[in-house]
Amino acid sequence: MATPVLAPESGQTPSAEAAVVKGGPTLAQRVTSFMPVIALVALLAALTIADPDFLTQRSLTAAVRTSAPLVVLAAGATLVVLCGGIDLSIAALCSLSTVFFAMWLPDLGGLTILVVIAAAGAIGAIQGLAHVLLRIPSFVVTLGGMSIFSAVALVISDAGPIRVIDRDATKWLNLYVAGYVPMSFFVAVLVVAVVSLVLKLTPLESFVKAIGYSESAARLAGTPVDIVKVAAFTISGACAGLAAVMLASRNFSGSPTMADNLLLPAVAAIVVGGTAITGGHGSLWRSLAGALVVTLLRVGLPIVGVPSAWEQILYGAIIVAAVALTLDRSKVAIIK
Amino acid sequence: MTTHVQAHPETEAPAPVHALEVRGLVKHYPGVKALDGVDLVVRQNEVLGLAGENGAGKSTLLKALVGLVRPDAGEIWVRGEKVRLRSVVEAADHGIGMVFQEQSLVPNLTAAENIVLGSEGAGVRRGIYRWDTLRKMAQEQLDKIGSHIDPLARTDTLTFAERQMVEIAKVLRIEERTSNPPVIILDEPTSVLESKEIETLFTQVRRLREFASVVFVSHRLDEVLDVCDRVAVLRGGQSVGEMPTADAAPTDLHRLMIGSTGSDDHYHEGMSERSAAEAEPRLVVKGMSGKTFRDVDLEVKAGEIVGIVGVHGSGREDVCRALFGAEPTLAGEVTLDGAKLDLSGTRAAVASGVGYVPAERKIEGMVGPMSVADNMTLTKQKSRCAGPMVIPQKQATLVDKWIERLSIRTPHRGTQIGRLSGGNQQKVVLARWLVAGDIRLLLLDHPTRGLDIGARSEVYRLMRELANSGVATVLLADSLEEAIGMSDRIIVMNDGRATKEVACPSGGKPTPLDLVKEMV
Amino acid sequence: GCSEEASGGGGTDGGSEASACAPEDVTLVGQVRNESNPYEASWLDGGDAFAEQMGLEQQRLTYDGDSTKQQEQITQLLAGNTDCLVMNILPNGDSDTLPIVEGAQEAGAFLVTQWNKPSDVNVEDYSQWLSHITYDGVDSGQQIGDALAEAIGGSGGIIALQGILDTGAAKDRFAGLEASLEANPEVELLDQQTANFSRDEALAVTKTLLTKHGDKVKGIWAANDDMALGALAALEQAGRTDVAVVGIDAVPDALTAIEDGTMTATVSSDGPWQGGIGLAIGYCVATGELSVDDIAAEDRAWFAEQFLITADNVADFSAPAVDEADFACDNVFSRSQGAIS
Amino acid sequence: MSLRDAGPPIALVVIFGIFAVLSPDFRTVGNVQNIMDAAAVLAVVTCGITFVLMMGSIDLSAPGVMGASAIAVALLVANNRNGNDLGLLGVLVAIGLGAALGCLSGVALVGLKVPSFMTTLGVSAVGLGIATLMFSGVQPNISDEMLHGWAVNRFLGLAYLTWIAMGCVLVGWLIQRYSRLGRYAYAIGGAEEVLALSGVRVAPFKVAVFTLAGSFYGLAGVMVTSQLSAGLVQAGKGYDFAAITAAVVGGTLLTGGRGGVLHSAVGVLLVIVLTNGLVQIGVSPYWQGGVQGLIVVAAVSAAVIPQRRRNQVTK
Ligand SMILES: Nc1ncnc2c1ncn2[C@@H]1O[C@H](COP(=O)(O)OP(=O)(O)OP(=O)(O)O)[C@@H](O)[C@H]1O
Ligand SMILES: Nc1ncnc2c1ncn2[C@@H]1O[C@H](COP(=O)(O)OP(=O)(O)OP(=O)(O)O)[C@@H](O)[C@H]1O
Ligand SMILES: [Mg+2]
Ligand SMILES: [Mg+2]
């Protein structure tokens, strides 16, 4: 294959060479990639104007600490969304995992954290396998998963909360890094960073994007489509497990419905971050910013004194506006 | 050809009113000047060919003529009247309609609906469908081109060629919208058609000339010369000349297109080192059966190019896909270099050194929103990785090397592949299998579909080089000529069976007619 | 080694009497699930009434029945100024109480909780958790169970509509029903399903159970009035007028139904009073009029007075109003029926 | 009818048969009537969502839109809160409110280019907010005879509401089959970009489809109010996922371009038969949700297995 290839006739074509510019992102593209952060800052500014007390160090610390489970849930599910699927089971799996955690802690002690994360990851993997082997849309698999996990959680917990008596195992989650950063948030950011880094440094990122944009092309290029998808579901499940540990340690108990209401906020966080719900385009960092926006909306609006009915109306309007701002439409041809 | 019917003989008419005239059209895209001051005249009742390399700006120009591309500067005149076209509807009102390069029918609608889509007229009254009227309207259009398709058939149940006919029937609706003679634009309509269907299409084009003007784009220069009255040539977004087709030869046109004569040895037969004959068989297929093919035997030696020909639905495409593990096989034994070839999936095929270039480039061949570099290195991780890590520098060097070797025209390796012209996209897809240099068997399904003559020549040269380096190649050619020109041996497939093998040595090539006889 | 304990907090652990708040400095917060049901809306209104009485304002918080959102709001609230913060909270479920309590304890806010509390958590272990008020669910479940048994003449089949399965209220009330069934051996529990405290779901479930058991159904026991009202709609649509229905909560519609004779009984829980009383206890302690240490052990976690409402006494309850006297500092525990056992 | 379309009806018959064998209570005429009545509201919601799914979009706004229209109608017809007595006009206004909220989703989608997932989620929150504002702490109960009668009166054994739902399915089917709106919605799901190439402006059709869906949800909200004789903010709780499940089980693809109102009607019956059957055969309430989920997954996979292809894309 060392033979020189091709006659360079094309060099004589006019204008083609002259018109070439440097590649890489343009200024506009750079700005769009920062949009989630801009949205976050804008929201924070608005809340501060509504109530100047909101912008205190303690208040912000509380907000990021609050956001940790949502960040982790959204980050995991982002992988599935990037692959072009969706995981509706994260919240139910997270609830189930809080029950696991509370049930197993007395026997396993500190090891429980790892065991719960592994168990949740395994359950996620089973969903992934069902999706790729049976060729059922991820929406349906995880919708089914959602109700099955809820039922299992109800049954094994006897439909009630289970107290976490031994708090030592999760005490470290309530510490602060450098005095101000809550450990749980630190862990959440660490998860985002590690997963993002692994994606970035290995071919995985291009696999995930190729699958998300065009699964058939990815498959015919010989990329490990099924493996990557199952891995995405596994990580999504494991993240639900980690979020469960955070919630259980925060609430000192596990309960079969504890995280059920986090499903829509988590998906909202992904979309608000600007990740395309159709797959391919997006990142975990975006979901981190999105989760912070959603958390600020959930806690900020009532705290600064917006009445209940208006809070809902504002919440609806602001998340739509946020997505209008963050979504990079040059990457998504058709908005469905 | 020069003596065709002329409504307005070119005498000293005061200012000849052209069907369509374009002056100084300019269109910029980020990083490319797609149109750089194009001038073009389309006369009444003529078939104008538009030629140019991939990325010369043909599609962009034509899309500007139907209001899909908003030019940055320049004028468009329709029958002596300056117009601004802002949408397909406006263009249609001026009598301009287009069949697009990529098929553009709604797959889940009926053929009838597709034909009248956007201009249902009496078929839809106050938002309510009159299915009977609609069917009749569509039937009229289909009758015009002599097609026997059921208008109420769902479009995705039709064959590729039938769909192309529906597209043409659809564009002919223009006649109903304007009293003026229409201008009909056909952007590479033949690249996906078989020779018989192409003949049907040409009959239609000649019929259209009686009352309309036609703009015709094709990379097959013989076709252009055959059906067109005149050819205009674009190069790098500029009009570089035109010529009547009467006495022109492909080489003349070629010269105009790229500024120099192409090689006479189009298929680079001279490069063939003929070592293949003595080589060990590399791919051996025995009695392979699948859903659409049965008992296929096939042998390809290292360094050999074997063409498979057959009509639509002969199953040759599925044979290729089966060998790549992308289509299930029911029976049969396949070995590569003596070892059993794992057909369970595409991963296994890639790992064994098999490569596949699918025909449907846009959907299956490439990932549109991803960069040229990522597309090129998607398959062969070794080419950009050290261990599990991607080394951006390594990837950049390698990709740039292949961009240069294959003359891929792209602003940058980081450009989205979807923004390149079709030909350049195809080169990237081909390069994907070459970057690692460990390919043993290459399955090429219409590898030159949509490529300009220069690019084609480059691909052929590349295929020869690969063959000389020992790669076994299975080729589903774009045309019979191509199959004959490139292959060492040709297998004819009929109804899912390999019915005949034709030797095709350099110097002893069969004629297309010989093959056609075997195919039907 | 980069971690250290929280620097935040700012709370004065215990010792609330040391720093009595000026009445105008007290911040009052009432938190319920949502304002879209009459009972909880009236609870917040009761809180407003108390605040007005004291010349203050109540911050109304709602969390859509979403446990995590409740925790998030509380965390955020406690990250603000907590010196004279008084919270009257309806925890979403048993499991939500403890983190709220711990948060308040750490931040030094004054907390009263209602309805949900895990039985093994002790109010007296905390200095900032002033009191926990609830109604005796076992008792109310049994009372309406007995009323239902009487209404159907002491024998026959009944069906039960359970509340949200993992709440203490649902479980206690159902336990009360079981006790009642034991006392009325002729009454047979034909079926029990959950309708999640929802009127809409109760309608569908009841319709199904009615077709399943047909004329055997003589009575319907519902764990709250919303479900009872859903069951009434189902009965009307099925053209059944011979079925007795009981519920709990005494929402206005249920009282009307009892007046009309379509419903048999319910048990009162006084929303406006609940909304005011929690703030009142907290206010009294915050301003130093009441000391935590002086609150009797049986007043730290207690059952509030509840009444069985039937056609006989429904007139007394049809216009609930807050009575300012209930909220006087020496009177805040007047409705106690004794400590939670 | 292709094999693909035949799957869900076969599943419906099979599941119905199994329950009929397992439970004598299930196979009574009364229970079949009950199933039909129970399906009414979900059928109307699913009718609306089907058009959105056909376009390849998604709609989560049903809870908010239904809540708003439920309260609105309760306050507009004869009720205990105010002196209004608009009767049928009130019903129409409530449906109009639903349509307006649906329109809002559509406008945000095409105007701001925000995915429908988000616009409808936002509109749902807005709808709940509006409902809560109108609710203002006091339960509105209706005393309107007509509206109340819809839930109670029967014709040929079925409640009026059930007939209304059947009418909706019929209207929905006619729209899908014979109207430009319906056919274009279907085409948008098939190949949106092609419509643009053919000179069709898709934006107005998208908005119209969301508006149509909104009016179906509005009607569903009215129906819930009629059944409960009271306007509830939570009238539409859970109907978003229930309707999507029904549509998907019926064979409408989330990617768009496939399925339709009749498919969805079959899906609705499947879901309701399951819910009803599980109660009838006495499955523990704890397990019901799980068993239902399992059966849905099983039904969908049984339906897709015959069409499995090696290189098929599943999202
Ligand atoms: N939407 C677009 N965005 C950016 N660049 C574009 C776009 N469309 C076309 N181009 C660029 O404009 C140039 C002309 O493209 P065009 O499609 O007109 O070529 P063509 O002559 O039709 O080529 P082919 O024969 O391969 O179809 C190419 O360099 C292409 O990359
Ligand atoms: N006997 C058959 N029954 C059903 N489907 C068939 C049959 N034969 C072929 N097909 C289908 O028709 C399509 C076209 O067949 P195929 O691609 O093998 O023909 P081809 O000769 O490669 O055509 P082209 O010249 O366009 O490449 C394939 O997708 C195949 O699945
Ligand atoms: Mg082109
Ligand atoms: Mg083919």
Side-chain angles (χ1 to χ4, degrees), chain B residues 68 88-89 100 104-109 113 117-118 120 124 127-129 131 154 170 321 325-326 328 343-344, chain D residues 177-181 183-184 186-191 194-200 256-258 308-311:
Chain B
L68 279 176
V88 183
V89 178
F100 298 97
S104 45
L105 296 176
V106 183
N108 56 344
L109 291 187
E113 280 170 286
L117 191 64
E120 289 89 348
V124 181
I128 306 298
Y129 270 55
W131 280 100
R154 259 177 75 122
K170 173 179 173 177
R321 292 176 85 92
L343 299 181
S344 65
Chain D
R177 184 94 182 75
Y178 288 103
S179 83
R180 194 195 298 260
L181 180 62
R183 291 306 290 177
Y184 277 11
Y186 197 58
I188 288 171
V194 171
L195 279 139
L197 287 181
S198 304
V200 176
R258 239 181 205 291
R308 269 176 59 177
R309 286 209 301 113
R310 182 73 68 80
N311 202 37

Side-chain angles (χ1 to χ4, degrees), chain D:
Chain D
M1 206 187 231
S2 69
L3 186 67
R4 183 188 207 113
D5 296 327
I10 292 173
L12 176 61
V13 171
V14 169
I15 289 175
F16 193 93
I18 291 174
F19 280 130
V21 168
L22 289 179
S23 157
D25 299 323
F26 181 86
R27 52 176 186 255
T28 59
V29 174
N31 193 46
V32 173
Q33 281 172 2
N34 179 28
I35 287 174
M36 296 295 287
D37 288 350
V41 177
L42 185 59
V44 174
V45 178
T46 309
C47 239
I49 219 165
T50 300
F51 284 95
V52 177
L53 296 183
M54 248 165 32
M55 290 199 305
S57 297
I58 199 153
D59 195 340
L60 301 176
S61 68
V65 176
M66 286 173 72
S69 84
I71 299 278
V73 76
L75 292 175
L76 289 169
V77 301
N79 69 87
N80 63 336
R81 284 262 307 268
N82 54 35
N84 289 342
D85 186 7
L86 298 182
L88 198 58
L89 183 63
V91 170
L92 293 178
V93 172
I95 295 175
L97 176 64
L101 285 170
C103 183
L104 195 61
S105 303
V107 168
L109 166 68
V110 303
L112 298 176
K113 292 214 166 31
V114 170
S116 56
F117 187 96
M118 216 54 189
T119 65
T120 55
L121 195 64
V123 164
S124 184
V126 170
L128 286 175
I130 293 175
T132 309
L133 276 182
M134 291 189 292
F135 178 82
S136 68
V138 185
Q139 178 72 60
N141 291 312
I142 59 167
S143 46
D144 185 278
E145 281 309 318
M146 175 205 65
L147 192 56
H148 183 61
W150 286 2
V152 178
N153 297 337
R154 286 170 182 277
F155 174 69
L156 297 180
L158 297 177
Y160 284 7
L161 284 180
T162 310
W163 290 106
I164 291 177
M166 287 198 235
C168 282
V169 172
L170 179 67
V171 168
W173 180 74
L174 289 174
I175 291 176
Q176 176 200 328
R177 184 94 182 75
Y178 288 103
S179 83
R180 194 195 298 260
L181 180 62
R183 291 306 290 177
Y184 277 11
Y186 197 58
I188 288 171
E192 182 174 343
E193 61 288 348
V194 171
L195 279 139
L197 287 181
S198 304
V200 176
R201 286 180 47 220
V202 292
F205 288 98
K206 285 188 161 182
V207 175
V209 164
F210 277 95
T211 311
L212 178 71
S215 44
F216 275 112
Y217 307 153
L219 176 60
V222 171
M223 291 166 71
V224 173
T225 301
S226 156
Q227 286 182 333
L228 299 174
S229 299
L232 261 62
V233 176
Q234 292 89 354
K237 193 169 167 228
Y239 275 107
D240 45 357
F241 279 109
I244 293 173
T245 307
V248 169
V249 168
T252 298
L253 287 192
L254 290 170
T255 41
R258 239 181 205 291
V261 173
L262 292 183
H263 291 80
S264 294
V266 171
V268 168
L269 287 178
L270 245 166
V271 168
I272 299 290
V273 164
L274 262 181
T275 317
N276 179 288
L278 290 177
V279 172
Q280 296 283 14
I281 63 171
V283 171
S284 145
Y286 289 3
W287 277 116
Q288 276 176 23
V291 173
Q292 201 170 338
L294 208 59
I295 295 180
V296 165
V297 172
V300 172
S301 41
V304 296
I305 281 171
Q307 301 130 35
R308 269 176 59 177
R309 286 209 301 113
R310 182 73 68 80
N311 202 37
Q312 175 193 320
V313 176
T314 34
K315 288 249 166 170

Side-chain angles (χ1 to χ4, degrees), chain B residues 312 316-317 359 445-446 449 476:
Chain B
H312 267 308
R316 57 184 185 146
E317 184 176 336
D445 192 353
H446 299 85
R449 180 175 280 178
L476 308 195

Side-chain angles (χ1 to χ4, degrees), chain C residues 245-325:
Chain C
V245 178
V246 295
I248 295 174
D249 278 353
V251 303
D253 288 352
L255 297 179
T256 318
I258 292 177
E259 269 172 12
D260 296 348
T262 49
M263 200 169 140
T264 305
T266 184
V267 170
S268 74
S269 33
D270 190 344
W273 174 78
Q274 286 183 284
I277 195 68
L279 296 180
I281 295 173
Y283 178 86
C284 292
V285 175
T287 53
E289 283 185 62
L290 200 66
S291 156
V292 190
D293 302 332
D294 295 344
I295 302 178
E298 76 250 27
D299 287 339
R300 293 299 291 275
W302 46 288
F303 287 128
E305 200 178 1
Q306 59 184 353
F307 308 93
L308 182 71
I309 303 174
T310 58
D312 302 336
N313 61 349
V314 64
D316 306 342
F317 294 89
S318 35
V322 288
D323 182 356
E324 292 199 0

